[in-house]
Amino acid sequence: MSTARYLRVAVPSPLYRHFDYLPPSGTDPAALTAGVRVRVPFGGRRVVGVLLDTPTHTEVAASKLKRAQGILDDAPLIPADTLALAHWAADYYRHPLGEVMQVLLPTALRQGRAAEARGTEVWGLTHAGRDATAASLRRAPRQAALLAYLQQQTGACEATRLDALDAGWRAPMHALLKRGWVEKRQRVSGTDFDLNMSDAAVTLNPEQRAAVRAISEHTDGFRAWLLNGVTSSGKTEVYLETIAATLRAGRQALVLVPEIGLTPQLLARFRARFGAVAAFHSGLSDSERLTSWLAARDGRARVVIGTRSAVFVPLQRPGIIVVDEEHDASFKQQDGFRYSARDLAVVRARLAGIPVLLGSATPSLESLHNVNQRRYTQLLLPKRAGSAQHPSLRLLDIRSRPLEAGLSDLLLDAMRRHLAADGQILLFLNRRGYAPTVMCHACGAAIECRRCDARMTLHANGRLQCHHCGAQGSLPAHCTHCGAAAFEQFGQGTERIEAALAQLFPQTGVARIDRDSTRRKGALETLLAGVQDGRHRILVGTQMLAKGHDFPNVTLAAILDADQGLFGVDFRAGERMAQLVMQVAGRAGRAERPGEVLIQTHHPEHPLLRHLVREGYASFAAAALAERRLAGLPPCSFMALLRAEAPNAAAPRAFLDAARPLLAAACGADVEVLGPVPAPMERRAGRYRAQLMLLARRRAALQAGLADCLPQLQGLKPARRVRWSLDVDPAETY
Ligand code: ADP
Ligand code: ZN
């Protein structure tokens, strides 16, 4: 007996629902498993969706049901555990499952391409072919020659090699194929995922050994570890050793790193240890991504290392998940499907029943809170590995000091000292361009972006740029306010520092490392090579410089403007600044020579700075957590933001005003609804932005309220005039 069944499909659409279809003619839905791709008609287009279920009942009227056009996979493309993670994420972040699937699948699969890695054709001998003798081919000399050639090779041959041997090789090759002496295979580049592990290059110190032992004693079941180790304490060696144990047990490892953390250096280190490793990053082509994805899913790649979206890469036999630099903001997707890869890594480990290892020199307050709550177990690496010493941190009070392009005389003295002692210097400034403000000298009006509530940044090429919407322009001839023709530049970006350094230290090589100087492919590698070989003695740069790289000869690191971070609008501004200071500090004195870290500030008495400098990050973090508790802010509460934007200033407000009572009613007394308020930078790229903040004492209350309320929000009339989005656990509140 068979009842009619329908196909329930997650379709790429912003709607919070799935869609039911009739099966393609001739297909028995009962034989289909969730996770196969289905091609379906949708809004006049044909799209690729993912099968969720084959229910026997549908709410769609029979006359409206459309027929699916085809099933794209014989077996589920997405394994059940990955589907479960997608469901969990869609639920928690209140995001349409169809769009979650879009993040989960590599582009090639989203477009409906076959789930096979496209490789190069290679020809190799079969057993019979290896034993065959050319003598038996006397009447087929070309086959004999080809056979003899293949017998001399150690592996299979690509077409290009055979072309060089004999342009007409295909006909005799086919004859050999028919005899069963050769076989044709697909070789996928970069996927020789054999397990040629090499031994550890270093002997672990007692703290590292203790960490590895603790983790390996609890591998059968979920457990979350926070590896809290100062920069250069050997965290990566702990990852490597733990992963080696996982691989020996026949399981796979997934390693997540921040967007700019997946350096060639780090990849090389993993590859040196584990042979071929499947990488996932933005530099890959669609085909390469597909290849890595399939290799991970089918268990051929033993180690998978990637940025944010790699958290969704399916694994055949997951054994451990590592999240390096877990505090890094790039783990949170900032638009569309706003998930946190760090948090999903923990969820995924829990669903899979495996350990997850979060590592950082400056753990997020979230993770430290989880340690305090005994949800995570902390492992400490308090000392630098090898012979390197902790650098010393010092505040430079630059009030009333002479400044040269933002460099104080105190800092310049220190720089001369370190250069004379053959050291390298790293200067950190989180602002690219030449000058962040250009002002009319007559009336004082700053040049602003036409589409944003923000000033235009002057770049060294003489162009003005808005760093928020990307708008560009040239310096106007006259002030639009008073008509005067004289402009002044204020403040400094990395380009201006670079120019000042060329004047101050004409004999010394300077490298600037920021988004502008590294835009060209290969530019970053060239700059870094110049740093390694000592051509560049002074490095000036933004965030890109602060993380991941190992500069053994840097002895002085300086933060040019700590005040930027002290008065940020976001409640995490202080935490982010402290993390940045410690990361920059971590670049100094990584080898034998001791490091010095100088922090320029106009606020040397600021409690946050003093805490950090005098007592270190742990003490700072404890104080900051206590403050969050008092203020009722995350991680001591749970937050969600409802954002809205529109070209018209009143529309976002109208939508949020209508949403507010619905949210308040749905969430109940355990959730505070604050706002609506304009976003701190209200107008960006020509759109006005406003937001509502929800703060909850209990996560469940917030989750239940949001689940209830979302369909109602979609139905609100003012919702049609805005673009709105929900951000659960926002990383930024503006
Ligand atoms: P982290 O990841 O904490 O920044 P790394 O693992 O990169 O630290 O280690 C920093 C440096 O110290 C590397 O050059 C590494 O090879 C070295 N190192 C790590 N552990 C040891 C050890 N036990 N003995 C000697 N050198 C070590
Ligand atoms: Zn702008």
Side-chain angles (χ1 to χ4, degrees):
M1 182 204 77
S2 104
T3 38
R5 277 179 182 263
Y6 305 95
L7 305 187
R8 184 151 292 167
V9 180
V11 166
S13 135
L15 298 176
Y16 285 91
R17 44 166 298 202
H18 40 66
F19 295 85
D20 291 347
Y21 289 89
L22 293 168
S25 29
T27 305
D28 174 15
L32 297 176
T33 321
V36 300
R37 286 172 300 165
V38 190
R39 199 183 289 284
V40 293
F42 187 76
R45 294 177 302 138
R46 305 169 78 193
V47 301
V48 175
V50 175
L51 183 71
L52 300 174
D53 196 6
T54 53
T56 52
H57 172 78
T58 177
E59 253 121 64
V60 184
S63 64
K64 291 211 166 154
L65 266 179
K66 291 191 183 145
R67 193 171 285 286
Q69 286 149 332
I71 307 292
L72 300 187
D73 304 295
D74 299 332
L77 178 71
I78 307 172
D81 62 337
T82 309
L83 269 184
L85 180 68
H87 275 287
W88 193 98
D91 231 44
Y92 182 79
Y93 292 105
R94 297 274 125 223
H95 198 75
L97 186 60
E99 288 196 346
V100 173
M101 295 296 181
Q102 299 298 296
V103 173
L104 194 144
L105 291 175
T107 314
L109 294 176
R110 244 182 282 155
Q111 293 168 342
R113 212 161 103 180
E116 52 195 38
R118 240 179 244 175
T120 325
E121 284 188 330
V122 293
W123 284 262
L125 292 173
T126 59
H127 271 297
R130 241 170 276 147
D131 296 338
T133 54
S136 61
L137 292 171
R138 230 167 309 151
R139 273 181 295 163
R142 293 177 77 188
Q143 287 182 45
L146 203 52
L147 180 70
Y149 178 76
L150 290 174
Q151 284 174 338
Q152 288 157 21
Q153 308 300 312
T154 42
C157 281
E158 290 182 19
T160 45
R161 266 210 355 245
L162 295 164
D163 283 340
L165 181 76
D166 172 3
W169 59 270
R170 282 186 189 264
M173 186 66 88
H174 270 280
L176 291 177
L177 199 73
K178 273 213 190 117
R179 288 178 194 271
W181 289 357
V182 302
E183 58 187 6
K184 189 166 90 174
R185 288 196 304 267
Q186 298 278 316
R187 181 190 285 155
V188 180
S189 59
T191 51
D192 294 325
F193 293 113
D194 52 341
L195 190 58
N196 54 346
M197 284 208 293
S198 61
D199 289 333
V202 301
T203 313
L204 298 187
N205 63 36
E207 289 85 8
Q208 289 171 313
R209 266 207 308 279
V212 172
R213 193 173 333 111
I215 299 163
S216 52
E217 274 169 7
H218 299 92
T219 50
D220 47 354
F222 168 69
R223 206 170 173 122
W225 303 92
L226 175 64
L227 182 62
N228 183 350
V230 298
T231 43
S232 252
S233 58
K235 293 184 291 298
T236 309
E237 293 298 331
V238 171
Y239 306 152
L240 292 171
E241 201 53 40
T242 311
I243 290 169
T246 307
L247 301 195
R248 282 194 294 268
R251 308 259 215 133
Q252 292 165 284
L254 171 64
V255 182
L256 300 179
V257 296
E259 225 131 73
I260 54 181
L262 191 48
T263 57
Q265 281 172 350
L266 185 75
L267 255 184
R269 213 161 145 191
F270 273 80
R271 291 210 158 120
R273 186 71 188 275
F274 300 122
V277 166
F280 264 89
H281 52 85
S282 49
L284 297 182
S285 69
D286 289 350
S287 282
E288 289 169 322
R289 263 178 181 272
L290 175 60
T291 300
S292 289
W293 196 87
L294 291 171
R297 186 194 68 169
D298 300 339
R300 278 175 289 129
R302 310 298 296 272
V303 179
V304 177
I305 174 164
T307 48
R308 191 170 55 227
S309 67
V311 73
F312 292 108
V313 170
L315 298 170
Q316 195 188 52
R317 293 180 307 278
I320 191 166
I321 306 178
V322 173
V323 184
D324 188 27
E325 311 283 7
E326 63 86 26
H327 64 278
D328 196 279
S330 75
F331 285 123
K332 174 86 187 201
Q333 169 79 31
Q334 299 286 15
D335 53 20
F337 171 32
R338 296 176 144 93
Y339 65 99
S340 155
R342 188 234 0 243
D343 295 346
L344 282 183
V346 176
V347 171
R348 181 169 182 179
R350 185 156 46 71
L351 294 176
I354 58 171
V356 58
L357 176 56
L358 311 178
S360 177
T362 51
S364 62
L365 297 190
E366 276 73 15
S367 294
L368 291 170
H369 184 62
N370 279 323
V371 168
N372 294 343
Q373 305 274 307
R374 298 180 182 277
R375 281 192 288 264
Y376 296 176
T377 311
Q378 181 163 241
L379 302 163
L380 291 171
L381 300 180
K383 296 196 302 277
R384 283 191 161 186
S387 54
Q389 297 296 303
H390 267 306
S392 68
L393 265 66
R394 196 149 56 87
L395 291 178
L396 290 187
D397 179 357
I398 57 169
R399 284 174 299 186
S400 325
R401 307 291 313 195
L403 291 176
E404 189 95 37
L407 307 168
S408 65
D409 56 338
L410 302 168
L411 176 58
L412 290 173
D413 285 346
M415 289 174 68
R416 290 194 189 95
R417 193 156 37 77
H418 280 264
L419 286 176
D422 247 1
Q424 275 177 326
I425 297 171
L426 186 157
L427 303 178
F428 173 84
L429 180 65
N430 214 6
R431 204 176 255 157
R432 63 195 175 87
Y434 190 84
T437 298
V438 180
M439 223 177 244
C440 169
H441 202 38
C443 78
I447 300 184
E448 300 207 327
C449 175
R450 270 194 214 103
R451 310 170 64 219
C452 303
D453 293 334
R455 292 175 176 176
M456 299 290 275
T457 299
L458 181 67
H459 280 249
N461 60 8
R463 304 275 293 166
L464 292 169
Q465 226 186 71
C466 172
H467 286 182
H468 302 281
C469 72
Q472 297 215 11
S474 44
L475 206 57
H478 302 279
C479 172
T480 49
H481 295 269
C482 74
F487 292 100
E488 283 279 312
Q489 303 152 11
F490 290 93
Q492 28 272 324
T494 45
E495 288 178 345
R496 193 170 201 171
I497 306 287
E498 182 188 26
L501 291 170
Q503 300 265 307
L504 290 161
F505 302 95
Q507 309 302 331
T508 311
V510 175
R512 173 168 58 87
I513 298 187
D514 57 25
R515 198 130 57 81
D516 299 311
S517 73
T518 58
R519 196 153 285 157
R520 251 184 325 105
K521 203 173 156 95
L524 177 62
E525 287 71 23
T526 309
L527 283 167
L528 291 176
V531 176
Q532 298 296 346
D533 69 21
R535 241 178 314 145
H536 305 311
R537 308 265 321 272
I538 307 180
L539 328 177
V540 50
T542 54
Q543 304 244 21
M544 291 187 88
L545 204 52
K547 300 177 188 175
H549 308 292
D550 200 357
F551 303 121
N553 290 318
V554 167
T555 52
L556 172 64
I559 287 147
L560 299 185
D561 184 7
D563 301 346
Q564 260 182 22
L566 288 177
F567 305 101
V569 287
D570 195 274
F571 74 92
R572 285 196 183 85
E575 176 186 353
R576 297 250 185 270
M577 192 209 53
Q579 287 162 345
L580 213 65
V581 168
M582 299 314 285
Q583 296 288 338
V584 172
R587 303 303 115 203
R590 280 169 80 87
E592 301 75 45
R593 308 162 76 185
E596 186 176 357
V597 181
L598 300 176
I599 304 170
Q600 294 199 134
T601 176
H602 284 95
H603 303 273
E605 300 305 317
H606 196 286
L608 194 160
L609 274 179
R610 285 166 46 120
H611 228 116
L612 190 63
V613 169
R614 290 199 185 155
E615 290 161 60
Y617 184 81
S619 160
F620 155 82
L625 252 179
E627 264 180 36
R628 298 269 182 94
R629 182 163 299 114
L630 279 177
L633 286 168
C636 306
S637 68
F638 304 93
M639 186 185 279
L641 278 186
L642 182 64
R643 295 190 174 89
E645 56 173 62
N648 150 342
R653 193 65 197 228
F655 167 72
L656 295 174
D657 278 334
R660 191 194 151 103
L662 296 180
L663 281 164
C667 293
D670 274 343
V671 181
E672 236 183 312
V673 185
L674 304 163
V677 292
M681 183 202 297
E682 185 176 10
R683 202 167 49 104
R684 190 170 71 190
R687 307 176 75 90
Y688 291 83
R689 307 174 309 143
Q691 58 196 34
L692 265 182
M693 183 183 283
L694 292 99
L695 267 181
R697 268 175 306 217
R698 291 187 309 117
R699 202 196 288 275
L702 183 60
Q703 281 291 317
L706 291 175
D708 258 18
C709 206
L710 233 57
Q712 301 179 52
L713 295 187
Q714 251 171 357
L716 283 176
K717 222 165 161 195
R720 288 184 223 150
R721 301 183 47 227
V722 300
R723 218 165 20 193
W724 65 271
S725 63
L726 183 72
D727 192 348
V728 176
D729 302 332
E732 288 172 348
T733 53
Y734 49 90

